[in-house]
Every structure is written in C-alpha cells, then in structure tokens.
C-alpha cells in the first residue's frame, strides 16, 4: 500500500513540471527511492545536506546518508557514553 501511495505522491511533490508543492529545494535532487523509504521530510534533508554534518536520532535517515555525508546518530553517542 505504501508503495502505491508513494508512487502517486512522488510526482506531486518532487517533479519540476509546475505542480511543485515545495520550491525551497531543488526537487530534482530528491530520488524516488529516498522518498519511498524515508518520506518527504527526510528525503528533502538527505537531498539538501550537502557538506553539512547531520545530527539525528532517526536510524533510517542516518543509514541513508552514511557513506555519502558526515552523520552522527545520537543513539550511538548515548550507547558510547553508557547511557543506554
């Protein structure tokens, strides 16, 4: 069900054909796979991260950007500090 919904919503949010809901980012950088796996907000974060460091507690977002961007997961920091 989520796949069908995301296939329907992706062009509405992430296409450059004039039906754009968001204009603050280059929507062409948002990939369908990221949109489907992460949702709109996290897909925009991943697409616009650039050279910035990502601080997150969202494991899916962290895993999606690791290897391409610098990222720190708060849960990993808490585990290292012995707080979990």
């Amino acid at each position: 069900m989520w796949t069908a919904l995301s296939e329907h919503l992706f062009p509405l949010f992430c296409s450059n054909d004039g039906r754009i809901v968001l204009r603050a980012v280059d929507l062409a950088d948002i990939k369908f796979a990221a949109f489907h796996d992460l949702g709109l907000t996290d897909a925009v974060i991943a697409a616009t991260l650039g050279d910035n460091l990502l601080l997150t507690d969202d494991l899916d977002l962290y895993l999606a950007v690791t290897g391409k961007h610098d990222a720190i997961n708060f849960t990993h920091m808490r585990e290292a500090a012995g707080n979990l």
Side-chain angles (χ1 to χ4, degrees):
M1 182 169 137
W2 171 242
T3 299
L5 180 61
S6 60
E7 287 174 353
H8 177 74
L9 293 177
F10 179 76
L12 298 176
F13 288 105
C14 305
S15 69
N16 289 321
D17 67 357
R19 298 177 297 162
I20 299 171
V21 174
L22 300 174
R23 294 187 185 271
V25 298
D26 184 359
L27 296 173
D29 289 340
I30 300 173
K31 307 296 184 234
F32 174 76
F35 179 83
H36 177 265
D37 294 343
L38 302 173
L40 179 62
T41 302
D42 287 351
V44 170
I45 291 170
T48 60
L49 190 56
D51 293 332
N52 297 303
L53 171 68
L54 174 68
L55 301 173
T56 184
D57 196 34
D58 184 323
L59 183 60
D60 292 333
L61 177 58
Y62 172 78
L63 293 174
V65 302
T66 301
K68 298 174 234 165
H69 302 282
D70 292 328
I72 296 173
N73 186 298
F74 290 122
T75 300
H76 296 159
M77 294 174 65
R78 289 193 300 260
E79 287 173 349
N83 294 331
L84 284 180

